[in-house]
Amino acid sequence: MARINPTYRTLSAGYLFPEIARRVREFEQSHPVASVHRLGIGNTTQPLTPTVVAGLHQRVVALSTAAGYSGYGDEQGESALREAIVAQYARRGVELDPSEVFVSDGAKADAANLQGLFAPDSVVAVQNPAYPVYVDSTVVHGRTGEPDQATGAYAGIVLLEGSPENDWLAEPPADGTTADVVYLCSPNNPTGAVATHEQLAAWVAWAREHDAVILFDAAYADYITDDSLPRSIYEVPGATECAIELTSLSKTAGFTGVRLGWSIVPRALRVADSEPGELNRMWNRRQSTFFNGASNIAQSGAVAALSDAGRAESAELVAGYMANAATIRDALVSMGLEVTGGDNAPYLWVRCPQGLGSWEFFDRLLEQAQVVVTPGVGFGSAGEGYVRFSAFGQAEDIEAAVASLRNHADALLAPAPSAAPVAG
């Protein structure tokens, strides 16, 4: 008889975003004339650029003709796109071969699917707080025990604790803790922190010493404005021996709905029991078996996005979002709030004032300033007491939200009401 995969029962309830939607919906119903400002969304808002639209359109037109029609393509991605991606890395001083590039429909799916390359008993480490797919995919792959009812942390997952003391960038384990697969994200979602060359070099040295693999999420690399900071882990010597990098055009060229990403699986990558090039061949086998390739229309749009004109237009999109981030950051800092991010990332990680919890400050922001954010606790136990602001939005909407924050600063920063005395 058929039975379910029990690991899905182990998943914590996906309550965060439905709960946000519920609270916002109830507020709007009870305040029908209020204008709600949404600064919690991690979704791009600007339209596709002319060069990208032209690339998409040309492929659609070609597909409407017998001469230009194409069906299934290479599961690894069309050669023109893989070569364009290699050229993109070359601009950053990183040499890759097109055979190491695997085009997909987005980094999120790759972040989960790449776990299939590693033994079932592999120990996975994630940053805390973290993008939820890292944890949830580890659970679904059967690598964890039950979650702790108090903290939500799963037995079997190594948590790399972030805090203000380490600028939300955990160092490699040094207390005898072992891990086989490590998720790192820089610029980080949700904290907006960015790793330096020295910090990534420490992780690369650790991974090589322990035959571990780093899954490096670089989806927000183009938001780094400080040229001294690395945009790829492969800028660190030796990283091709221990790291897989995944990224996408979602937040760079507005492909959140178009769907196009890629992973780099270097031929030099190795683990304790692998042969040279074996992991690259395994991922190729996996993609060829379970995936028919990204949309050929999306791939043509991606080639256009990576052209000189496309990159210039994407840079303008990113600059617009970063201008939003600066506007939000300036307002929050002027209010006396503690802020990480917003300078090399589109997210701002903000400590709740007056010792408020994540959901308490969420409610206060919504009720007093009509501003919606994302409670930090939804990204892990280390996120309690923080909220995430997002810079993705129209500039005029960001300005309106910031004006509301400033106008209601006193109410937002007020001490929490003390408990009512108990009658004697």
Side-chain angles (χ1 to χ4, degrees):
M1 60 181 172
R3 296 185 299 147
I4 67 167
N5 179 348
T7 61
Y8 279 83
R9 287 179 172 164
T10 309
L11 283 172
S12 297
Y15 71 93
L16 176 63
F17 293 105
E19 178 62 14
I20 290 173
R22 184 191 69 80
R23 295 190 188 203
V24 173
R25 183 170 60 251
E26 289 185 355
F27 177 84
E28 290 179 322
Q29 290 173 348
S30 59
H31 302 79
V33 298
S35 296
V36 174
H37 312 288
R38 290 171 168 81
L39 300 187
I41 190 170
N43 194 0
T44 50
T45 58
Q46 298 299 322
L48 296 173
T49 68
T51 297
V52 168
V53 171
L56 295 169
H57 180 71
Q58 288 170 6
R59 190 61 175 271
V60 170
V61 171
L63 289 170
S64 70
T65 68
Y69 179 78
S70 59
Y72 294 126
D74 295 334
E75 294 89 352
Q76 305 83 2
E78 296 181 349
S79 59
L81 177 54
R82 299 172 88 188
E83 290 167 2
I85 292 169
V86 168
Q88 177 81 334
Y89 277 89
R91 296 183 190 99
R92 297 173 179 172
V94 175
E95 292 186 10
L96 296 173
D97 187 270
S99 66
E100 298 173 307
V101 178
F102 295 85
V103 177
S104 70
D105 57 0
K108 184 176 184 178
D110 285 350
N113 293 331
L114 281 162
Q115 283 207 32
L117 291 178
F118 307 105
D121 60 352
S122 297
V123 177
V124 175
V126 300
Q127 294 167 291
N128 184 23
Y131 184 43
V133 71
Y134 310 150
V135 172
D136 288 352
S137 60
T138 304
V139 174
V140 170
H141 276 86
R143 306 188 198 277
T144 71
E146 296 288 334
D148 182 276
Q149 294 302 310
T151 66
Y154 285 91
I157 293 183
V158 175
L159 294 180
L160 308 169
E161 298 294 348
S163 68
E165 288 68 35
N166 61 18
D167 296 323
W168 300 100
L169 293 162
E171 297 178 353
D175 57 0
T177 301
T178 60
D180 305 305
V181 179
V182 178
Y183 282 98
L184 297 181
C185 178
S186 178
N188 185 265
N189 178 13
T191 68
V194 184
T196 65
H197 279 277
E198 292 75 18
Q199 288 168 319
L200 288 187
W203 272 107
V204 167
W206 176 88
R208 295 176 70 188
E209 179 183 353
H210 293 84
D211 290 320
V213 172
I214 298 168
L215 301 182
F216 188 74
D217 188 340
Y220 298 93
D222 285 339
Y223 285 82
I224 296 176
T225 58
D226 184 344
D227 289 336
S228 71
L229 296 172
R231 292 171 173 80
S232 168
I233 196 168
Y234 300 130
E235 295 177 41
V236 176
T240 55
E241 299 175 13
C242 64
I244 296 173
E245 184 162 298
L246 48 143
T247 188
S248 80
L249 292 178
S250 287
K251 304 299 168 46
T252 301
F255 274 47
T256 47
V258 177
R259 309 305 306 142
L260 197 291
W262 60 85
S263 292
I264 307 297
V265 184
R267 291 188 175 278
L269 181 69
R270 58 173 297 278
V271 293
D273 60 348
S274 68
E275 299 174 357
E278 187 171 8
L279 286 161
N280 177 280
R281 295 193 298 272
M282 286 170 60
W283 187 242
N284 183 66
R285 178 70 163 83
R286 189 269 174 205
Q287 294 297 81
S288 298
T289 303
F290 299 143
F291 185 55
N292 276 334
S295 157
N296 46 27
I297 298 171
Q299 291 190 68
S300 289
V303 171
L306 294 175
S307 68
D308 289 344
R311 289 186 297 108
E313 291 170 356
S314 291
E316 290 183 10
L317 287 181
V318 169
Y321 291 131
M322 289 306 296
N324 290 344
T327 298
I328 299 169
R329 184 182 175 90
D330 288 348
L332 296 174
V333 170
S334 72
M335 292 166 61
L337 291 166
E338 182 181 313
V339 182
T340 300
D343 45 3
N344 289 289
Y347 296 121
L348 301 95
W349 189 241
V350 182
R351 186 194 287 270
C352 304
Q354 305 293 344
L356 294 173
S358 294
W359 281 108
E360 291 176 309
F361 194 41
F362 171 92
D363 287 338
R364 182 177 285 192
L365 285 163
L366 177 60
E367 293 165 4
Q368 300 295 332
Q370 293 78 61
V371 170
V372 179
V373 295
T374 305
V377 70
F379 298 99
S381 58
E384 178 57 281
Y386 291 82
V387 295
R388 188 193 74 174
F389 283 72
S390 168
F392 292 116
Q394 304 291 340
E396 59 270 23
D397 296 332
I398 299 296
E399 293 285 355
V402 163
S404 186
L405 290 171
R406 293 183 185 277
N407 291 337
H408 298 89
D410 289 344
L412 295 174
L413 303 177
S418 58
V422 178

